[in-house]
Amino acid sequence: LDRAAAVLDAGGVIVWLAANDGSTLSPVASHGFDQKLVARIGRIQRDSANLTAAAFRDNVARVSAATATAPAALAVALCGPSGPVGVLSVELK
């Protein structure tokens, strides 16, 4: 993840894996974020209104532009043989 963050010039990276039933995503690995923050985020629901959940639901990459108060972000579905199994989310500098 360190190398991926460097290549993408990312402030942080999180790998999310789906529960067996696909109802939630859990952070399983991260780089660039305080572990307490990652733990506080915890699981997210598949139907949540955020970039990571949308990338998973739709099985496509999603991006949000930077704003005055938030950095740009990218979320890419991680695909398995039967559809998405997780998401790689990136906070861009």
Side-chain angles (χ1 to χ4, degrees):
L1 291 180
D2 181 47
R3 175 82 172 118
V7 167
L8 297 169
D9 194 25
V13 178
I14 300 177
V15 176
W16 301 83
L17 286 185
N20 287 340
D21 65 0
S23 63
T24 61
L25 293 164
S26 297
V28 296
S30 66
H31 172 78
F33 294 107
D34 184 290
Q35 289 305 306
K36 290 179 185 177
L37 171 67
V38 175
R40 194 170 72 226
I41 294 170
R43 291 183 184 160
I44 59 173
Q45 298 296 316
R46 174 190 179 96
D47 60 354
S48 294
N50 66 48
L51 207 66
T52 301
F56 181 72
R57 278 192 310 271
D58 302 336
N59 195 19
V60 296
R62 296 287 182 191
V63 65
S64 68
T67 67
T69 58
L74 169 69
V76 179
L78 301 173
C79 297
S82 61
V85 296
V87 175
L88 175 68
S89 61
V90 180
E91 182 179 277
L92 302 168
K93 292 183 183 176

